[in-house]
Amino acid sequence: MRIVSLLPSATEILFALGFDEEILGVSHECDFPPQAATRRRVIHSRIPHDLSPAEIDRIVSEYVARGESLYSVDAAALEELAPDLIVTQDLCVVCAASPDDLAAVLTRFTRQPKVVSLNPRNIADVWRDILLVGEATGRRDRAQSLVAALDERLRGIAEKVAHARPRPRVALLEWLDPLFTGGHWVPEMIALAGGKDVLGHPCEPSARVTHEQVIVAAPEILLIAPCGYDSRQARDEYLRTAFAPGWEFIPAVRDGRVFALEASGYFSRPGPRLAAGVEALAKIFHPSITVSSEAENLILPVVTAGQKTYTAAV
């Protein structure tokens, strides 16, 4: 089977199901596992590199307002690869190429490939998508085994935090300028880890919030996970961000409980590594529990209590 994946989470799922040589083309963001980067890129972003978060938000908003895609499909490359299966998504026009981006390109194909579109809104949907990809590729049994292992991992965390008290008030920010709170499966991840999301809503898209809303919500733990950033980039972006007066009085900021996370692999990307993301959150919320070394390594404190953790907005 000749496979092209147009989104990073699908690429991770395909490799987790044992595919390797069959994966011929990927998107510009497919970076895990490392061998994904060796595949031919058939999707390119129209957003310039090295922009500030505010500039990225402005350009994205302009594209969306005009009804234009943020991505270009390399039609010649895709036609040359002649895939039997293309995996894409229909969840977010900002996150990855969509079926609409693909439709015009496929009209020139003499042999139409099968197209599978993923659209997860919660963790159960993500696991369902693993099964869907397994069914489409003839790896149903392997997909079922993977989902069972992921479910077992989440049950283990649920048991560890079942009686943990108190459940901390948590806010996860998936963009910093402007502020956006995490949506879809992220509030569910926070709940599974033994926390209470004070801004996000399960199964709903991420939403723009004001500095004042975050201040009033008074989270005891603040998670910094900008979409597309690793933990160090997230930490650096947080430390250079100008926040409104009063930010320093947020309990999480005052007490040094601000943590940067690798959003790309473990929070914003709906793939198998969400389970490790839940483990990492559980360790942040309830430090006495034990978790995997993978999850331990995801946690990057921004600063310790007493250090300056904000810059007042002009």
Side-chain angles (χ1 to χ4, degrees):
M1 176 175 282
R2 301 172 65 83
I3 304 172
V4 167
S5 170
L6 302 188
L7 70 158
S9 59
T11 300
E12 290 194 27
I13 290 169
L14 287 161
F15 275 103
L17 294 182
F19 290 102
D20 192 330
E21 298 302 323
E22 298 89 344
I23 304 171
L24 306 178
V26 297
S27 80
H28 64 293
E29 292 184 323
C30 293
D31 57 6
F32 187 89
Q35 57 263 45
T38 67
R39 302 307 190 265
R40 189 166 180 180
R41 294 185 176 186
V42 299
I43 297 291
H44 304 281
S45 174
R46 292 192 170 103
I47 301 175
H49 294 292
D50 301 323
L51 297 180
S52 70
E55 290 170 328
I56 293 173
D57 180 74
R58 176 182 58 80
I59 291 176
V60 167
S61 298
E62 290 174 355
Y63 269 96
V64 172
R66 294 195 301 263
E68 298 177 12
S69 175
L70 297 167
Y71 304 94
S72 62
V73 180
D74 188 334
L78 196 60
E79 192 169 16
E80 183 180 330
L81 292 175
D84 302 304
L85 173 69
I86 298 175
V87 187
T88 184
Q89 62 94 40
D90 197 25
L91 176 68
C92 176
V93 296
V94 175
C95 298
S98 72
D100 288 342
D101 297 317
L102 188 61
V105 173
L106 291 183
T107 58
R108 54 193 281 180
F109 278 49
T110 55
R111 183 179 64 85
Q112 291 292 308
K114 180 177 182 179
V115 177
V116 172
S117 183
L118 309 182
N119 187 29
R121 297 185 180 276
N122 56 29
I123 292 176
D125 287 348
V126 178
W127 292 180
R128 178 210 61 198
D129 283 348
I130 293 174
L131 297 175
L132 181 63
V133 173
E135 191 72 36
T137 57
R139 298 276 174 95
R140 180 176 61 181
D141 290 348
R142 189 152 182 169
Q144 289 175 335
S145 296
L146 175 57
V147 169
L150 293 169
D151 271 336
E152 180 62 28
R153 195 168 179 178
L154 292 186
R155 280 196 295 272
I157 289 297
E159 291 172 1
K160 290 180 180 180
V161 304
H163 304 295
R165 292 294 184 273
R167 294 174 66 88
R169 295 168 54 81
V170 180
L172 184 145
L173 300 176
E174 73 161 34
W175 202 249
L176 293 175
D177 190 8
L179 298 179
F180 275 81
T181 184
H184 295 306
W185 48 85
V186 168
E188 182 184 4
M189 293 176 70
I190 290 172
L192 287 170
K196 179 180 179 182
D197 194 329
V198 295
L199 291 172
H201 301 283
C203 300
E204 294 185 11
S206 58
R208 185 169 177 171
V209 294
T210 65
H211 290 215
E212 289 71 23
Q213 284 175 297
V214 181
I215 293 168
V216 170
E220 297 164 301
I221 294 175
L222 185 60
L223 305 172
I224 311 302
C227 186
Y229 286 50
D230 64 28
S231 57
R232 285 171 176 76
Q233 291 171 321
R235 176 196 60 193
D236 294 347
E237 195 59 49
Y238 177 81
L239 291 175
R240 71 169 63 99
T241 298
F243 296 104
W247 193 268
E248 68 272 28
F249 300 120
I250 295 174
V253 177
R254 182 192 63 214
D255 299 336
R257 303 193 74 190
V258 181
F259 299 89
L261 301 169
E262 183 186 333
S264 293
Y266 297 89
F267 299 94
S268 59
R269 186 177 296 178
R273 289 189 289 169
L274 290 184
V278 173
E279 283 188 298
L281 295 182
K283 184 66 175 180
I284 291 171
F285 303 164
H286 308 288
S288 63
I289 70 169
T290 58
V291 297
S292 67
S293 59
E294 179 186 16
E296 286 264 15
N297 292 334
L298 297 182
I299 302 168
L300 180 63
V302 173
V303 287
T304 58
Q307 289 183 285
K308 185 175 181 180
T309 59
Y310 72 99
T311 302
V314 177

